Amino acid sequence: MNQILLFESDFTSHDTVSFSGRRLHHVVSVHRAGLQETLKVGLLNGKRGSGIITAFDNALLSMRVSLDEPPPPPLPLTLVLSLPRPKTLKKVLHCVTAMGVKKIYLVRSWRVEKSYFSSPLLQPENIRQELILGLEQARDTILPEVLIRPLFKPFVEDELPAIARHTRSLVAHPLAADPCPRTVEEPVTLAIGPEGGFIAYEIKTLCSAGFQPITLGERILRVEHAVPAILGKLF
Amino acid sequence: MNQILLFESDFTSHDTVSFSGRRLHHVVSVHRAGLQETLKVGLLNGKRGSGIITAFDNALLSMRVSLDEPPPPPLPLTLVLSLPRPKTLKKVLHCVTAMGVKKIYLVRSWRVEKSYFSSPLLQPENIRQELILGLEQARDTILPEVLIRPLFKPFVEDELPAIARHTRSLVAHPLAADPCPRTVEEPVTLAIGPEGGFIAYEIKTLCSAGFQPITLGERILRVEHAVPAILGKLF
């Protein structure tokens, strides 16, 4: 946790906050911070700054905070992710949130197991918790938007063209002829398939929606490694 | 598992193999492969090819194999990794093995918890198991070498200069002035610090050994995400 993320509900006056739970535990047992120590803080969807610990016990920590720094710029990338298994989804959400992605579509595709869509992780409160961990990691404050699309064809044919308009639209596909582009200047919409990849029909549908298949080479990576590797190449 | 990794001990004749355990279980319950089906195989530290299932039951699977394809080229990068917590180490070993790294030094640094060096994961057989999973993922066969160096100063001062000779030597450091270079042409030696980073003295020691501090920007990533992002940028 490189930053304590604050919520409007933590404020007890215009410049004082109090909180308990996970954040209190982290400050006390990981940061091992004490009275009058300064920690980096950020207000959810607001500015960043610092907080001085004014009081704490086992139940509550209070800080005087000053917030004057804008969050880091977002990454100009929209991610269209074939819903991976819950364990992988957690890792990818953390990673892309930390890297600055602000819009994530979780879509159904042929090789996605149906059961993944009924995972408790997809409850908004659980997704939000993963995003918050990513924001804390990267000292960001702007919560990404995560949208679930359980029907591939209507999503790609009817909704995706508008999402991808005026962006470079790429789909990661091990069998693609073109390598992943590097250091792009424009915004990107990036589609990532499931373990085993998109099927040929899905690639065709994505191509009809203006997507270009690109590859990382013959080494096929796990989704949670392919995503940061591609984002690293692109930006 | 995009490839079944074979060992010399699996061979029952020059072109037939039999195995049990994890690989048998994977072929039967994940690939759901049956008799006469062809799967991709590779011989540890040897060639790749295909295998036809000639017999299987709950205890043993037999294949006729043909090995005629060389493994994919390695990544020209030596990784010097400040030993992370075991859970993170597993992820990083899998990722860099799949990406083609062939030499990994695990080093002690100031912010590494002493207990990490007594983790059972550091037993050669356990490290080897993680590397094998990475090879299976990327259809590689060449086992990386993992070397443990529990003393930072003698390693960096006495051993590292020879390791890094004739390579571009980089140390990832959030406070660095220079961005991570892109699309380098020469081999690289890359040092990655622990959570919280190398301390100033360690950065100074690495700089004296010819290392250049580079940064991914103000967003600080977890080690397991920083590594594929940096490798993606470099190659």
Side-chain angles (χ1 to χ4, degrees), chain A residues 148-171:
Chain A
I148 299 173
R149 294 292 181 266
L151 295 171
F152 181 84
K153 193 168 178 273
F155 170 69
V156 174
E157 292 185 348
D158 304 336
E159 194 177 355
L160 189 55
I163 294 164
R165 192 168 296 144
H166 307 309
T167 73
R168 186 151 177 184
S169 307
L170 306 171
V171 49

Side-chain angles (χ1 to χ4, degrees), chain B residues 31-136:
Chain B
H31 287 310
R32 291 185 189 127
L35 273 182
Q36 300 303 320
E37 271 192 59
T38 301
L39 294 172
K40 289 174 176 169
V41 299
L43 173 62
L44 184 70
N45 294 323
K47 288 190 171 175
R48 304 182 294 176
S50 58
I52 297 175
I53 300 175
T54 53
F56 75 97
D57 57 23
N58 288 335
L60 200 71
L61 184 144
S62 299
M63 275 182 165
R64 195 169 58 252
V65 299
S66 150
L67 298 166
D68 47 17
E69 196 192 339
L75 207 68
L77 181 132
T78 297
L79 183 65
V80 175
L81 183 68
S82 178
L83 184 68
R85 72 185 66 223
K87 213 171 124 183
T88 302
L89 178 60
K90 277 176 86 146
K91 293 176 192 167
V92 176
L93 287 179
H94 186 290
C95 173
V96 300
T97 303
M99 291 184 88
V101 174
K102 294 302 173 199
K103 202 152 198 174
I104 303 157
Y105 290 88
L106 300 175
V107 303
R108 180 81 174 274
S109 70
W110 183 257
R111 292 204 177 102
V112 170
E113 275 194 36
K114 237 181 186 171
S115 66
Y116 296 171
F117 275 89
S118 49
S119 160
L121 177 59
L122 291 192
Q123 297 300 315
E125 196 39 47
N126 294 336
I127 284 188
R128 182 184 154 95
Q129 196 50 44
E130 295 305 319
L131 304 177
I132 283 172
L133 296 175
L135 293 179
E136 289 175 340

